[in-house]
């Protein structure tokens, strides 16, 4: 599965079944500080994703 | 190790058949796009009603920096306008004069005000203080946020007064408010912890209201993103406040592990305010001997900053 990180770098990970929340925790990211989309659509983080999915992680900028 | 492809499972909205885009742990709700928008708007309106932040006939100046929080504030207040009679919105943008940052955010603010046909005033530090923040700060960069905060507050007050506003609304969210409350405890600053500028009955201040104070930073970002109102703007280059950065990261970690932490901090703050109501814990207001504005000391903070610049 392709994961687009907040810094736009791409990471490929392989697994059988995992929630988006777990992916974030494995990457050391607090789920409250990012928004995640799967194949271009916003999804709730308890969603279990598959190996064919593309996940994009967007960091929420602070301020005004 | 190659694994088999697993069929993705999309959680459904608690209130309809559509796929959920958000899971709100605190209340155990999955929400689809439509129900998330409704939920956010409901939380804002109940916050406003609970604290009577807006009344019929109000002229509300919105502090519109053009960033995500103030963009959401404008969008939400505009939508909720039919809840009151004869309430009028005016947007005020402060141009501090920060190179490489403000130009883009001001453009975004202008676009927004134009899109909703809201009267828009831009006030620059250059007009009020005779210089941009960048030049005022030279050699004092480490104090950027506190200096800018004091100067911006006065500029906003002036802007709001000039347009005849009865309220000044800012986009502070739950994360901001919980961080500030905890920082005031860490600094042992009780007067600042309990200062409540929305209910302050003073002829010198326009009451400040924070309609989004029950929404998290993530709620706001999500609300904008799903309505295509999200603009990826640069962050202020002066975000040097070391304590706030640490508190933010710690609180966000605690909130994740113990959902509801930030709301509980705000409840504690309200309880302390309640128990202290009627007790004088701040110096009585006097007038600055240099500019005449209300001040807690002989000379107000703005004039103190101006003095330090002339040296
Ligand atoms: Zn729904
Ligand atoms: Zn003064």
């Amino acid at each position: 599965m392709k994961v687009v990180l907040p810094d736009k770098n791409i990471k490929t990970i392989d697994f059988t079944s995992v929630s988006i929340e777990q992916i974030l925790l494995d990457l050391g990211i607090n789920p409250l500080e990012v928004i995640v989309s799967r194949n271009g659509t916003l999804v709730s983080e308890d969603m279990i994703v598959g190996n064919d999915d593309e996940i994009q992680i967007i960091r929420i900028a602070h301020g005004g | 190790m190659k694994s088999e492809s697993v069929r993705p499972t999309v959680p459904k909205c608690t209130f309809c058949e559509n796929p959920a885009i958000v899971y709100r742990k605190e209340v155990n709700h999955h929400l689809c796009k439509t129900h998330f928008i409704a939920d956010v708007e409901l939380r804002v309106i109940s916050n406003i009603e609970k604290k009577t932040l807006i009344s019929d006939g109000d002229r509300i100046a919105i502090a519109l920096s053009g960033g995500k929080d103030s963009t959401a504030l404008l969008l939400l207040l505009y939508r909720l306008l039919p809840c009151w009679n004869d309430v009028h919105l005016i947007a005020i943008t402060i141009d501090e004069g920060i190179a490489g940052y403000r130009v883009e955010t001001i453009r975004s603010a202008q676009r927004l005000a134009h899109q909703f046909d809201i009267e828009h005033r831009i006030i620059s530090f250059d007009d009020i203080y005779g210089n941009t923040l960048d030049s005022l700060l030279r050699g004092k960069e480490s104090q950027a946020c506190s200096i800018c905060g004091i100067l911006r507050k006065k500029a906003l007050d002036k802007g709001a007064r000039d347009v005849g506003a009865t309220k000044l609304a800012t986009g502070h969210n739950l994360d901001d408010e919980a961080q500030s409350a905890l920082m005031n405890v860490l600094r042992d600053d009780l007067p600042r912890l309990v200062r409540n500028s929305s209910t302050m009955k003073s002829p010198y201040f326009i009451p400040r209201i924070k309609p989004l104070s029950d929404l998290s930073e993530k709620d706001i970002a999500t609300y904008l993103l799903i309505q295509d109102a999200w603009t990826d703007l640069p962050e202020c280059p002066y975000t040097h406040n070391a304590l706030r950065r640490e508190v933010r990261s710690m609180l966000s970690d605690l909130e994740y592990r113990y959902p509801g932490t930030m709301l509980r901090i705000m409840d504690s703050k309200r309880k302390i305010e309640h128990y202290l109501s009627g007790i004088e814990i701040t110096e009585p207001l006097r007038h600055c001997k240099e500019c005449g504005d209300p001040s807690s000391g002989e000379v107000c903070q703005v004039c103190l900053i101006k003095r330090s610049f002339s040296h």
Side-chain angles (χ1 to χ4, degrees):
Chain A
M1 186 187 59
K2 208 171 110 183
V3 179
V4 185
L5 301 171
D7 61 8
K8 302 277 164 20
N9 278 322
I10 293 169
K11 200 177 162 123
T12 309
I13 40 179
D14 195 51
F15 52 81
T16 37
S17 159
V18 72
S19 70
I20 290 182
E21 188 168 7
Q22 193 55 53
I23 296 176
L24 295 174
L25 295 178
D26 288 349
L27 290 167
I29 295 172
N30 180 339
L32 297 179
E33 295 175 1
V34 295
I35 288 179
V36 182
S37 70
R38 163 188 170 257
N39 306 332
T41 312
L42 211 67
V43 281
S44 106
E45 277 126 32
D46 53 343
M47 178 185 180
I48 310 290
V49 282
N51 245 343
D52 301 331
D53 287 327
E54 183 182 314
I55 301 298
Q56 180 168 8
I57 305 169
I58 306 158
R59 191 166 289 282
I60 303 168
H62 306 294
Chain B
M1 184 180 76
K2 187 86 193 146
S3 60
E4 274 170 47
S5 191
V6 172
R7 238 170 68 104
T9 49
V10 186
K12 268 200 184 124
C13 174
T14 307
F15 301 104
C16 72
E17 291 299 302
N18 290 323
I21 56 153
V22 165
Y23 175 53
R24 285 194 63 208
K25 254 187 197 165
E26 324 88 270
V27 286
N28 189 24
H29 284 166
H30 279 96
L31 299 168
C32 67
K33 181 177 161 176
T34 311
H35 282 111
F36 175 73
I37 292 175
D39 179 72
V40 164
E41 292 176 355
L42 193 66
R43 278 190 280 156
V44 173
I45 193 81
S46 13
N47 190 33
I48 294 174
E49 299 284 291
K50 188 173 67 195
K51 302 174 189 160
T52 334
L53 301 181
I54 297 176
S55 316
D56 291 344
D58 263 338
R59 245 176 109 71
I60 303 175
I62 299 178
L64 181 67
S65 73
K68 72 172 193 328
D69 299 321
S70 61
T71 298
L73 176 66
L74 186 138
L75 235 71
L76 278 155
L77 287 186
Y78 183 81
R79 285 217 184 125
L80 297 175
L81 270 185
C83 296
W84 305 278
N85 292 314
D86 195 28
V87 168
H88 194 78
L89 304 177
I90 310 130
I92 297 179
T93 300
I94 305 299
D95 181 0
E96 301 93 348
I98 305 173
Y101 164 66
R102 258 296 170 233
V103 177
E104 258 184 89
T105 45
I106 287 178
R107 210 174 290 143
S108 169
Q110 281 171 319
R111 245 193 329 263
L112 207 64
H114 182 77
Q115 185 189 342
F116 291 94
D117 198 19
I118 289 173
E119 183 185 337
H120 188 206
R121 299 272 179 105
I122 300 175
I123 298 167
S124 74
F125 273 16
D126 207 4
D127 292 340
I128 301 187
Y129 305 115
N131 237 324
T132 63
L133 184 68
D134 282 343
S135 27
L136 288 172
L137 278 181
R138 215 148 285 153
K140 300 187 182 63
E141 285 84 356
S142 61
Q143 304 165 56
C145 293
S146 59
I147 292 179
C148 179
I150 292 164
L151 298 179
R152 197 177 47 232
K153 186 175 187 303
K154 181 156 176 166
L156 273 173
D157 272 327
K158 181 180 165 10
R161 250 195 312 266
D162 287 352
V163 298
T166 54
K167 302 275 166 65
L168 174 57
T170 60
H172 291 92
N173 59 45
L174 178 59
D175 296 54
D176 299 328
E177 293 297 283
Q179 286 156 20
S180 298
L182 189 53
M183 283 165 72
N184 288 329
V185 172
L186 295 174
R187 291 180 179 135
D188 186 25
D189 193 342
L190 186 63
R192 200 173 279 225
L193 177 70
V194 299
R195 193 162 59 193
N196 188 341
S197 43
S198 77
T199 50
M200 215 150 48
K201 296 268 182 297
S202 160
Y204 308 112
F205 296 107
I206 293 169
R208 294 195 161 221
I209 58 171
K210 298 168 181 171
L212 310 190
S213 63
D214 275 354
L215 299 181
S216 71
E217 193 150 50
K218 181 159 175 160
D219 287 329
I220 292 176
T222 307
Y223 181 79
L224 292 177
L225 199 71
I226 57 180
Q227 300 181 87
D228 292 317
W230 173 275
T231 31
D232 211 0
L233 292 167
E235 274 190 50
C236 178
Y238 290 120
T239 45
H240 284 320
N241 193 323
L243 180 61
R244 185 172 288 272
R245 199 183 305 165
E246 277 185 59
V247 165
R248 170 192 291 152
S249 150
M250 181 181 81
L251 265 183
S252 143
D253 183 49
L254 285 173
E255 178 68 37
Y256 175 67
R257 291 190 288 134
Y258 310 103
T261 294
M262 295 193 196
L263 281 172
R264 285 191 291 276
I265 290 180
M266 297 319 290
D267 281 343
S268 296
K269 176 182 143 88
R270 262 187 292 280
K271 279 178 200 153
I272 297 172
E273 277 169 7
H274 174 75
Y275 290 127
L276 289 180
S277 68
I279 300 172
E280 208 58 68
I281 52 158
T282 41
E283 296 251 322
L285 273 186
R286 337 181 225 183
H287 289 274
C288 169
K289 67 175 190 188
E290 288 184 15
C291 71
D293 275 5
S295 161
S296 50
E298 232 177 39
V299 178
C300 77
Q301 283 182 299
V302 172
C303 289
L304 284 176
I305 291 173
K306 281 189 187 161
R307 268 190 198 171
S308 79
F309 287 132
S310 52
H311 288 291

